[in-house]
Amino acid sequence: IAEALALAQELNHKYMETQVRVYQVQILLYLGDLDDARHAGEALQALIQETGDREPESRLNVLMAEILGRQGDLDSARAYVDRALIPAVAAHAKHIQVRVLTTMAWVALAAEDWGDARNVAREALMLSERVGSKYQTAVLNLMLGEIILATGQGNALPHFEVVESIAGSIGSNVLLAQALFGQAAATSTTRGARMLALRARALVEDLL
């Protein structure tokens, strides 16, 4: 990404730079470098204003919502979610809608607004399954499992089992570790929970 960004700037190719910066924000967010992700997002916002190329704006708004939500600025996160959802619905951009709704659910989850988080996550899950987005489907099942664990209303285990299945199909040990931790928390037997947690811990240590 750094090499691509340097090349785009050397060529003064604004469209290329815009696309590279979208990926830059996504990667920094994925890595958990939230301050750097926020700065990269702000740089992308300035570039969009400079060029007038608004194509990546919805994706950026979703990313900024997630960044700010993870940093605890839930009001700003909600504002970005609102900005992202309207154009996504207008453009019938289902994949963007799934991302926006997922972020809405995550923000509600961070605020411990369990009812709102559950309702939005269920809506997002139906849409995610319709468009075939495996990763978002896994993330939403993780959320629904966490909500059930927090509220004690329902059975969380099937949600975490779905995540385990998807993790295997797309080869994601990050999702697999999360699925196993969830299963451990949802398992009633001490021995079963311990074995699941040990498997998850081994995966995390291997990733680290």
Side-chain angles (χ1 to χ4, degrees):
I1 287 295
E3 290 176 12
L5 188 57
L7 180 60
Q9 291 171 336
E10 180 185 335
L11 297 172
N12 196 29
H13 196 313
K14 299 294 186 182
Y15 175 76
M16 184 192 296
E17 184 179 349
T18 299
Q19 298 304 311
V20 172
R21 285 195 180 277
V22 172
Y23 289 116
Q24 182 186 37
V25 177
Q26 288 177 323
I27 289 169
L28 289 168
L29 174 58
Y30 182 77
L31 293 173
D33 296 336
L34 298 179
D35 286 336
D36 288 344
R38 184 172 184 169
H39 293 321
E42 289 166 352
L44 178 53
Q45 282 178 323
L47 189 61
I48 288 170
Q49 289 175 352
E50 178 188 342
T51 62
D53 175 16
R54 302 189 64 181
E55 182 271 330
E57 200 167 35
S58 283
R59 282 181 292 166
L60 174 60
N61 286 335
V62 174
L63 293 167
M64 289 298 288
E66 189 167 345
I67 292 163
L68 292 165
R70 288 184 184 277
Q71 290 185 321
D73 188 352
L74 299 183
D75 289 338
S76 295
R78 289 188 188 97
Y80 272 105
V81 163
D82 290 341
R83 285 184 222 167
L85 187 58
I86 294 169
V89 171
H92 303 289
K94 301 296 185 187
H95 284 277
I96 298 292
Q97 287 180 51
V98 171
R99 288 290 301 273
V100 176
L101 290 170
T102 301
T103 304
M104 284 176 67
W106 190 89
V107 170
L109 192 64
E112 298 187 359
D113 186 348
W114 309 119
D116 191 35
R118 181 175 55 247
N119 292 337
V120 176
R122 284 174 175 169
E123 181 184 353
L125 182 59
M126 287 191 293
L127 189 57
S128 178
E129 289 173 339
R130 197 184 313 160
V131 300
S133 177
K134 287 185 177 181
Y135 178 76
Q136 293 299 324
T137 296
V139 168
L140 289 159
N141 273 287
L142 280 174
M143 283 188 193
L144 287 166
E146 286 182 26
I147 291 164
I148 291 169
L149 289 176
T151 61
Q153 298 173 354
N155 182 6
L157 200 56
H159 289 291
F160 294 121
E161 288 171 345
V162 168
V163 179
E164 182 182 10
S165 175
I166 292 173
S169 71
I170 65 176
S172 172
N173 282 343
V174 173
L175 282 177
L176 180 56
Q178 290 175 299
L180 294 173
F181 276 127
Q183 287 178 42
T187 298
S188 57
T189 63
T190 303
R191 177 176 171 77
R194 183 172 182 274
M195 295 304 295
L196 288 162
L198 285 171
R199 282 181 61 201
R201 189 177 71 178
L203 279 169
V204 172
E205 288 173 347
D206 192 45
L207 287 164
L208 292 173

